[in-house]
Structure formats: structure tokens, C-alpha cells
Amino acid sequence: MKNKISFKTVFKIGSATVLMILILCMTLSVFSCSQNNSGNNDSNTNSSQGISNNSDTANTSESSTEAPKILSDAPVKDYGGYTFRILSKPSNTVNHHWDAKDIVATEETGDIINDAVYKRNTTICDEYNIKITRTENDTPSSLLQKSVKAGSDDYDLMFSGIGDTVGPAQNGVLINLKNIPYIDLTKPWYDQNANSQLSIDNKLYTTFCDFTIVDKDSTWVYLFNKKLIQDLGLENPYQLVKDGKWTIDKMTEMCKGASKDLNGDGVMTWEDQFGWEGECWDMNPGIISAGVQLTSKDSSDLPVYNGLDDKGMTAFTKLLTLLGDKNLCLRSDDVTSYTGDLWADVMDRSFTDGRILFLNGGMNRVTLFRSMDTDFGIIPSPKFDENQSDYCNTVTQFSATSLAVPATASDLERTGILTDALCAESHYTLIPAYYDVQLKTKLARDDDSGEMLDLIFSTRRFELSLIYGWGSLSDIFTNAMKNNTADITSSLEKAASKVQTAIQKTIDAYSSNQN
């Protein structure tokens, strides 16, 4: 497997190191308070003027060898009690697993995520003499646009779904993150894949970072029922992934023997056993995970529409053959007679009851299934074939929260310093809590899951046509799944001009945006 970055070694926390780091950080803070730094977000130099992130260091291996802690280059300043204002989605939504629970915490409660957020914010608030407040809104990007258009300096940062953020990015409402002092995008607390894939015209108005975990939860993966794997005598999915043999064909082969009419009524309903579970929209990440690039970028960092080539059409056909078979796959779109909570009562319950071999969905399902009696595993989405070099895992545009700075932010140096400091602190507090404890230790059921998580998070793909919704391209694949329609050539041909027109509008908007 290529491009594998071991988060396992990066975030391994050792209690024996805590005291040493605290002493070191106290020493550094004495010098950092008396020095200043002009700041350069293209710099990759770690200076002694970095903040003292009071958290544990990381081990570079399972041995006692330790990696030096990377510090923010942002200088420590006293901001005299300034209120750092963050706009985000609500912390109490209808579907609580999508709550913006990673922004603020008022006190320690014993919950690992809440307490990590509290520690991060307290550390930075104390060090920089600030307060952090959060404005919650169901559509934060709309609220931000109204604020900026009115010329109001109401917010320092916004965290919203990436799909909702691209509108403000094109409307001159956001600041190019590359132009903000002290936001060093080369640092590990910014997603490097997102930085390169989300930029247009060499401008980056939004990206993913370690300040939040909802974007991690929004990564589309596969969960599998270990007992069904064993009972059906199927190959170990972990080993298939490691050997590069976890492909669409292999998944289809394994699903064919998994479905059962449990009640014997001759009709497959959601109360029966299926090989695959998900929704019709999953055709989109399925194609992308097959290594298909619907859009790419040219040498000037401008998006180009590629359409669906022969490989892409083959991937679509293979996926439709499986996912369109209602005797093998339980699709939420087909459960039309249920009047309750479809996902909680039908889809999630089907998996936790042990009636689903493979579930395709967000990483947040790992947390939702923490009380599941039967063990399950976590693996990436399947490749097109064994010749595909890397696994690819899509991040859904609907819920993945990204970082953005409003154009009316009055003090960009202050915004950059505090943003980078908070993201850096998150890298050593919130991310270890989320990754090592919640996923690898508390919820994941085996050591192999940790290796799979390393692979999944390091191979995330951000398909611009999905994020920007150019020409409603994703609807073609979703509708093809719903209607089990294999011939989409004419639909793609009709959509091509719309997609290209939409792309050009985006390019023009970026080119004219001087922020």
C-alpha cells in the first residue's frame, strides 16, 4: 500500500513524557513571550518562539524513541481578554452524531472529546489571554455572507460544511488562507491533501484542519461484521486490503453469498440479511474510490472536467451490478414504507443486529455502534482492481466541516496567530483523543482497525465536482442507482456543457476575487 502515513506512531501518548514536555514548554514560554515573529505561512521552519502546547509528545515507533514536538511558529501575545468569535453549525442537531462538538466546551465532563476540546481552548485562552465564543447557526455560511456584505466584523472564523462554504469562497466573502500571516499550511495540523486538492487558481479559501473532527467522521468507509465473515467462511477483509486485493469484484463476490430471507416469506425486506447496506448516493464515492477523477486540475491550478472515461464507466457498471441488486443490497432509498427514524431504526439497527455483511457510510458510524455486541471491522472503500495503486476515500460535502476566515476580519495577524495556535494545540489534544482513544482503543475492536485508519485518513480524496455541485453531476449517478439504469451515456453528454459552464463560472469568480 502506498502513501501510508502512520498516525499510530504520531499520536501515541506516553505519560512518562508529560513532565519532560511541561518543563520544556515552560522554559520555551519564557523566551517566546519576549520575542516577536513577522510570520510567513509558506515557512516550514520551527522556531523557539512557537507556542507551548501543553500536551504529551508523540512516539515515532512502538519503542522508546520519541519524535520532537512540532510547534506553531505563531508568537505568543497578550490580547488583553479579546473575544475570539467562531461561527459554526449547532452543537445540538437532530442527528446528534453530526453535532459541532469540537468547537467549545464549558467544563470537563469525563467525555474524552469534550475534555480534549476544553483542554485545548483553556490552554490557548490562558496563553494568549483571550476568550472563545461560538455563534451557532443551521446555515452559518448564509449568516456569514450577510455579515460580510454588510461590512460587519462579527466573526473571526467559520466552520461549516464544505459544500456550504464554496458559495462564500466564490462570492468574495472569504480570505485566501495563503495570505493570512502565521497560518502555516505546511504544518501537520492542516490536511495536506485538502490544501492541494481544494485550491483553485492557487487560492485556498477553505481547508480541513485538526481543529475539528466532524470532517474525519464524514470520511466514507466500510464496516464489516466479523461474525458473518467467519460464519460464511469468507476471506479476511483486513488481509485483502493489505494485499491490495480489496476490489469491487471481490466485494461483489463476498456479498453474493451473504443475503438470506430470514423470515422465509419469499421477499427481501429490511428485516432480512444483506451483503451490502448504504444509500444510492454511495455510487458517487464508489466511483471516486475506484480511482476515477471526474475533474482534475491543469498546470495553472484550474479545474478541468474529464467526464467518465472507459475505466469510470466500467467502475460504474460493476458497482451498479451489485448495488442495484435489491436481493443483495439494502438501500435506504428503497425503504419507503417506514415512518419512523429511517437510519436509527432501520439502517443502523440492521447492522447492529448482525444482518449486514458490509456497511458503506461515514466514519461516525464507528461511534454510533459502540454498544454493538458483535465485533465489526473498519476498512477503506474498495479499489477498481488490483492494479490500482492506492485506496481512495471520499469525504462527503454535506457534513465535513472546513475552516474559513471572513473577509471582514479586522486583524488578520491576530486571526492567523490564534487560528494556528488552536489548530496546533488540537493536533496534540483533540486528535489523539479522537484517533487513539475513541477509534483505535475504545471503539475499534482489534489492532488491525488502527492500521486501516492510518490508511483511510492518509488517502482521502476531495472531488471538486461533488463539493461544488457543478452541473448536478452527482445526481446522475445517484438517480442511476435509484432507477437501476445502466445507460447513463446520454445523461452525461447532456450534462457536460452544464458542468463546464459551472466550472468556468467558478474559475472566473476565483480570478476576480482579490481577497
Side-chain angles (χ1 to χ4, degrees), residues 152-418:
S152 299
D153 177 15
D154 296 323
Y155 312 104
D156 295 289
L157 286 183
M158 180 184 73
F159 288 101
S160 185
I162 181 70
D164 297 326
T165 306
V166 296
Q170 298 173 88
N171 296 335
V173 172
L174 304 178
I175 291 286
N176 182 1
L177 297 175
K178 294 182 178 181
N179 293 337
I180 300 178
Y182 297 106
I183 290 186
D184 185 351
L185 294 169
T186 67
K187 288 294 199 293
W189 40 87
Y190 301 105
D191 190 306
Q192 301 306 307
N193 288 337
N195 289 346
S196 61
Q197 295 172 31
L198 295 178
S199 69
I200 293 179
D201 193 25
N202 294 307
K203 298 174 182 177
L204 185 68
Y205 291 101
T206 187
T207 194
F208 294 107
C209 62
D210 286 349
F211 194 104
T212 68
I213 57 174
V214 179
D215 68 289
K216 285 75 174 173
D217 274 349
S218 300
T219 306
W220 243 234
V221 296
Y222 271 78
L223 306 183
F224 67 90
N225 184 307
K226 290 185 181 179
K227 185 175 186 301
L228 283 179
I229 290 289
Q230 184 176 14
D231 291 347
L232 296 170
L234 299 173
E235 296 174 79
N236 182 349
Y238 289 140
Q239 195 59 48
L240 288 172
V241 172
K242 294 176 184 179
D243 294 341
K245 297 180 179 181
W246 174 234
T247 64
I248 297 173
D249 287 342
K250 177 59 68 174
M251 179 174 67
T252 301
E253 174 190 321
M254 297 173 77
C255 285
K256 284 183 177 179
S259 295
K260 288 183 180 180
D261 180 9
L262 297 179
N263 57 15
D265 64 357
V267 180
M268 292 296 289
T269 68
W270 64 270
E271 294 177 310
D272 293 315
Q273 180 174 301
F274 293 87
W276 182 95
E277 177 185 78
E279 57 187 320
C280 289
W281 179 83
D282 293 337
M283 175 61 80
N284 289 282
I287 292 173
I288 295 168
S289 295
V292 177
Q293 285 189 295
L294 297 171
T295 58
S296 58
K297 290 193 289 184
D298 63 18
S299 58
S300 298
D301 197 40
L302 300 178
V304 176
Y305 178 51
N306 301 321
L308 198 64
D309 58 12
D310 291 341
K311 175 186 175 182
M313 187 60 71
T314 302
F316 165 78
T317 303
K318 286 185 175 184
L319 287 167
L320 187 67
T321 300
L322 170 61
L323 307 184
D325 190 335
K326 298 180 183 180
N327 289 319
L328 298 180
C329 301
L330 176 61
R331 312 183 314 181
S332 62
D333 308 71
D334 299 326
V335 185
T336 57
S337 59
Y338 191 81
T339 58
D341 188 325
L342 175 61
W343 279 97
D345 300 338
V346 175
M347 306 303 290
D348 290 343
R349 178 183 166 189
S350 295
F351 187 78
T352 57
D353 282 353
R355 294 183 280 106
I356 303 296
L357 180 61
F358 294 113
L359 180 146
N360 188 198
M363 184 70 77
N364 67 314
R365 255 57 204 173
V366 176
T367 305
L368 291 178
F369 300 154
R370 68 170 67 194
S371 60
M372 181 175 170
D373 292 331
T374 303
D375 284 350
F376 62 88
I378 311 166
I379 53 176
S381 299
K383 298 192 296 184
F384 176 75
D385 58 23
E386 294 182 25
N387 294 320
Q388 182 176 324
S389 58
D390 299 310
Y391 291 96
C392 298
N393 300 277
T394 305
V395 177
T396 172
Q397 71 272 24
F398 300 114
S399 54
T401 45
S402 60
L403 165 72
V405 175
T408 49
S410 58
D411 187 337
L412 288 182
E413 179 184 277
R414 179 182 62 204
T415 298
I417 288 174
L418 295 178

Side-chain angles (χ1 to χ4, degrees), residues 94-115:
V94 175
N95 295 313
H96 292 295
H97 45 279
W98 294 123
D99 288 351
K101 54 185 175 292
D102 43 19
I103 307 298
V104 295
T106 57
E107 61 181 357
E108 292 183 304
T109 64
D111 177 83
I112 55 175
I113 297 301
N114 175 88
D115 291 357

